[in-house]
Amino acid sequence: MIETQGLGKIYGRGLYALRGLNLTIDKGEFVFLTGPSGAGKSTLLRLLLLQETPTEGEVIVAGRNLSRLSRHEVQAYRRTVGFVFQDFKLIPTKTVFENVSFALRVLGTAVEQQRRRTYQVLKWVGLQHRLNSFPEELSGGEQQRVAIARALVNEPQLVLADEPTGNLDPDLSLEIMNLFREINAGGTTVVVATHDRELIKWVGRRVVQLEHGQLAGLAEAPK
Amino acid sequence: MIETQGLGKIYGRGLYALRGLNLTIDKGEFVFLTGPSGAGKSTLLRLLLLQETPTEGEVIVAGRNLSRLSRHEVQAYRRTVGFVFQDFKLIPTKTVFENVSFALRVLGTAVEQQRRRTYQVLKWVGLQHRLNSFPEELSGGEQQRVAIARALVNEPQLVLADEPTGNLDPDLSLEIMNLFREINAGGTTVVVATHDRELIKWVGRRVVQLEHGQLAGLAEAPK
Amino acid sequence: MTALGYAFAEAWTSIRRAGRSAAVSIGTIAVAFITLGGFLMASVNVQRVLDRWLESAEVSVYLVDELPDEVRTALELHLRQQPIVAAVEFVSKEKALARFEADFPELQDVATAVPQNPFPAAFEVRLRPEEAGGPDVDELTAGLSGRDGVADVRYDRRWLTRLTNVVRTAQLAAAVIAGVLMLGAGFTVAAVVRLSLHARRGEIDIMQLVGAPFSYIRGPFIVEGLLLGGAGAIVAVAVVALAYTAAARWLGPDLAGFIGVAQLQFLGLREAVVMVGGGFGVGAAAGTVASRSAR
Amino acid sequence: MTALGYAFAEAWTSIRRAGRSAAVSIGTIAVAFITLGGFLMASVNVQRVLDRWLESAEVSVYLVDELPDEVRTALELHLRQQPIVAAVEFVSKEKALARFEADFPELQDVATAVPQNPFPAAFEVRLRPEEAGGPDVDELTAGLSGRDGVADVRYDRRWLTRLTNVVRTAQLAAAVIAGVLMLGAGFTVAAVVRLSLHARRGEIDIMQLVGAPFSYIRGPFIVEGLLLGGAGAIVAVAVVALAYTAAARWLGPDLAGFIGVAQLQFLGLREAVVMVGGGFGVGAAAGTVASRSAR
Ligand SMILES: Nc1ncnc2c1ncn2[C@@H]1O[C@H](COP(=O)(O)OP(=O)(O)OP(=O)(O)O)[C@@H](O)[C@H]1O
Ligand SMILES: Nc1ncnc2c1ncn2[C@@H]1O[C@H](COP(=O)(O)OP(=O)(O)OP(=O)(O)O)[C@@H](O)[C@H]1O
Ligand SMILES: [Mg+2]
Ligand SMILES: [Mg+2]
């Protein structure tokens, strides 16, 4: 599903945020991405979404080289990816419902189905009672769950989640992970960047560890 | 140091975010605030900073009823509090150095001392090499550490930290907690809202648990 | 179609939620257009005055005394056939004397002291305004001078040429100023829409990251610019219309006497439509620019 | 002092970092002031033309023939002593005839046909512009009519009263329009500064939560507004000055002939200073409003 070859990223100031990364993630895999602060986890995920362009190397997702996509193909590609941003990136001028249903709207889904599916996903994350709130009226954890709902609403082939439980209590975190596992069981590839060792232990999947922008260790977690 | 009497907060929509809270925190104490997402942790901390005004009840900090302060007294009071916001609240148009030194600047600290102290605090959180970056050029954890540095830079009497390690890896989280402990050892009262049970266990201090805006249990943690 | 409906619905929601900020934007755009509209109205009216002046441009063709009627009629016909001539009036010797006496009453003595009427009969030829002061007039006067029965041709060329130059200059200046004001109004509308939407640029990035097609991202911004600009222009036209009504009521009589035009004239329908259309257009363009993504 | 220095330093940094956005704001403010400045320049010049016209308002005092010199001198003295009189010129019978011949060459015959010079000598009295058309003039003419040696007093009161009315109306209209433009410019500056700073309102809240005193929070915003507004106004004055230079060079000769004033006049120093001051003031006020905290 995902293959990176010698992937590197240098931001303006000249330091490698990511360097010579060769990584393969199979279709239907559930992978944790971990490593200290500033290791390059978010950078890797951003490159997978094409939010940033690589400085060197290639990213191949579902057999297609991301750097060769046209603008329209990029849009179409992003619509098949569910992304939970580390800073949520909710649209402040839209309500919870609008923020989530927007991802369906751009797919041209019928209005009635938009409504139904949005409600369903918000129920999964326990926010069905906050449909008409604006993001700034939510607690940190509630905002994070809206971001998760938006990533899952259009049944993506690939879910990329950047620290999706940083603002959630342990019980909720496990619930969210169960949600990810269910989606993963349906064939969706899931990549989760997290610092939460408990969570990684509990879910028990493959862990990719980054350090200073490079792979630090590849460990097959116990099944 | 902190005393709340029948403290309650209702946001616009009519639900209690906090209800009838009676809580006492002594001077020099180190208290963890925990509870599920939406329990009211941030609301309580916001009330302590006067970021919100209580709907009912009183907040008394250092012997003074917060709702009776004049605008100038509010400013002076806030300058004695170090606050780590859950969403960081860094000023996007200022550099890391400016964001942190600003808290000293408003105290009228001499420029040379501003410079020295800011550098020192940024070194504590491991960001002395990113002085001139803007917040959006930092990773999530780096931004969070800038927020922590800003809270500590002016040696406040009271530190209120809302989920200060949600974006940090476990090792860094412990380092930050050690920092808080050191500051606490110097006489500063510290209140930390967190979901991280490991951290609470490791630090081993009093825990205040909130649920649906009310106290769920008061537990003296083992010394 | 769906995207269009979506764009309008979104834009409307956004303007409604923006509230005061949107009102400030519309107001500022209106101010720009009021300035432009006010200037256009003023210049339309000044133009009418100048036209009136030019309309009264006359060539006097003095006739020799005791001219046979058929020569006079032939001359009149000749004059009327000229393309640059708008009207021809015959002034007899008696009428010329009467006019002089009326115009210069203090010289009554002079007129009566003269044994016989010294004033010649004349054709007063009114020219088409657009020709007055032009080269064709020179041709006409030159041609007339040699003709049978014509004693003299007088045409206050110097004065008229000067007036024509001034009018031309004024028209040029007015066009330049109108152009500058138009640019200025456009610039203001664009700047205001851009500033209004700039704050929401983050949204565009977010939408792009969610994979929204450009039409979904930019549509609402473009429509919002369109609506802000159009609303501003409509407010402006309304304000100018009100100002016109007020001016016509209170200043009308005074001004009308001076400018020699029966009534103040409002902006033409065309100008009003152009203004409102311009508002919509500039707003939409500004929305397009403002919604141009960072990447 | 520290807070002030801080405010300026911060504002400057902010404008520098805002880059294009700040340039757009300054440009828009400049457009507003250019409109105002252009109008002021136009109306200063029109005012001069009207003054010139009023200056040429004259009362003609026709004298009886064969007036003894001492009566004439006494009359002249009397006229010069009137407070509303600006200048007195004596026109002899000969000069009057010469003028008539020059003005009406086609009536040469008439003049020569008359046995003796029919034109009376006269004093031509120029009035102070501010008095022309006023009630004091009536008093003067009435007083003169009965005087020894005076044959007739002519004063084209109707025409002058009308002109005076028009001038007064025009002045009123100009004042109203200037006021509206001033308000419009102020509104535009305020709106632009407000929109520029609105996006950064979050910063204000953050600063407040850190316990910053108001002077530290609002100072930079107010100074930024001040600088944006002032810069816009300065740009505007510069543009108007350039436009004036261009107009004076290319249109000056034509216009000067028409308006009868030797030269176009630039905005007075006072107007320029008021404009720039207004820019600074409105900008600062807008910054103050924009930085008003949500709470
Ligand atoms: N826009 C940017 N400009 C410059 N440097 C950047 C930018 N974004 C990230 N970086 C730097 O790149 C490095 C990797 O950042 P990244 O966000 O990938 O880290 P991370 O592993 O997600 O860390 P965290 O756990 O703190 O979120 C960091 O040192 C960061 O400061
Ligand atoms: N501005 C607001 N308007 C309306 N409701 C609000 C607002 N802020 C918070 N709330 C609600 O008040 C409740 C308590 O919020 P609070 O932020 O205190 O929770 P929390 O304990 O900090 O949760 P988290 O762990 O998710 O940060 C939540 O249900 C939240 O939705
Ligand atoms: Mg990250
Ligand atoms: Mg919270």
Side-chain angles (χ1 to χ4, degrees), chain B residues 50-51 53 71 75 78-79 85 89-91 93-95 98 102-103 105-106 134 150, chain D residues 6 9-10 13 17 200 203 205-214 216-218 295:
Chain B
L50 273 174
Q51 188 182 349
T53 45
R71 279 163 76 107
Q75 289 165 9
R78 283 178 179 159
R79 272 177 247 144
F85 296 91
K89 286 205 194 301
L90 302 177
I91 299 175
T93 56
K94 289 188 192 292
T95 64
E98 289 165 350
F102 184 76
R105 205 164 191 173
V106 300
F134 286 93
R150 181 180 59 190
Chain D
Y6 166 79
E10 284 293 292
T13 307
R17 283 182 188 159
R200 286 167 48 213
E203 289 179 29
D205 293 337
I206 297 174
M207 290 180 190
Q208 263 190 340
L209 292 176
V210 176
F214 290 115
Y216 272 82
I217 300 174
R218 307 184 67 171
R295 280 178 76 202

Side-chain angles (χ1 to χ4, degrees), chain C residues 63-84:
Chain C
L63 305 179
V64 297
D65 283 354
E66 271 129 49
L67 190 66
D69 271 8
E70 62 273 16
V71 179
R72 207 191 82 194
T73 316
L75 190 60
E76 182 165 358
L77 201 71
H78 172 74
L79 286 170
R80 287 194 194 281
Q81 279 165 349
Q82 300 298 315
I84 67 169

Side-chain angles (χ1 to χ4, degrees), chain A residues 10-13 15-18 35-44 46 52 86 162-163 193 195 210, chain B residues 129-130 133-134 136-143 145 167-169 172:
Chain A
I10 303 176
Y11 290 105
R13 318 231 162 197
L15 242 109
Y16 276 96
L18 218 54
S37 180
K41 302 179 294 298
S42 300
T43 300
L44 175 55
R46 282 202 287 260
E52 303 277 356
Q86 191 168 11
D162 196 353
E163 201 76 57
H195 292 300
L210 287 180
Chain B
H129 57 296
R130 299 304 295 269
S133 299
F134 286 93
E136 62 166 18
E137 295 170 357
L138 300 178
S139 81
E142 286 162 352
Q143 288 179 30
R145 284 181 277 158
N167 288 277
L168 300 181
D169 55 280
L172 249 176

Side-chain angles (χ1 to χ4, degrees), chain A residues 129-130 133 136-143 145 167-169, chain B residues 11-13 15-18 35-44 46 52 86 162-163 195 210:
Chain A
H129 58 295
R130 298 306 294 269
S133 299
E136 61 166 20
E137 296 169 357
L138 300 178
S139 81
E142 286 162 350
Q143 288 179 29
R145 284 180 276 156
N167 288 275
L168 301 181
D169 55 280
Chain B
Y11 290 105
R13 318 233 161 196
L15 242 108
Y16 275 98
L18 220 54
S37 179
K41 302 180 295 295
S42 300
T43 300
L44 174 57
R46 282 204 286 261
E52 303 278 355
Q86 192 169 9
D162 196 352
E163 201 75 58
H195 292 299
L210 288 180

Side-chain angles (χ1 to χ4, degrees), chain D residues 88-140:
Chain D
V88 177
E89 194 195 348
F90 177 66
V91 179
S92 64
K93 286 176 74 76
E94 295 71 36
K95 207 163 161 196
L97 177 63
R99 268 200 201 165
F100 179 80
E101 287 176 356
D103 287 353
F104 303 95
E106 71 270 25
L107 298 181
Q108 195 80 45
D109 306 343
V110 183
T112 42
V114 180
Q116 69 177 95
N117 183 346
F119 295 95
F123 280 117
E124 291 191 343
V125 179
R126 197 132 48 68
L127 302 174
R128 296 189 187 286
E130 63 274 15
E131 297 292 345
D136 289 356
V137 181
D138 284 340
E139 220 174 90
L140 177 73

Side-chain angles (χ1 to χ4, degrees), chain D residues 202-260:
Chain D
E203 289 179 29
I204 295 175
D205 293 337
I206 297 174
M207 290 180 190
Q208 263 190 340
L209 292 176
V210 176
F214 290 115
S215 60
Y216 272 82
I217 300 174
R218 307 184 67 171
F221 280 83
I222 295 170
V223 171
E224 192 168 341
L226 181 99
L227 294 181
L228 290 177
I234 288 172
V235 169
V237 169
V239 168
V240 172
L242 273 179
Y244 158 72
T245 311
R249 169 159 307 165
W250 291 320
L251 309 178
D254 288 338
L255 285 180
F258 176 58
I259 65 180

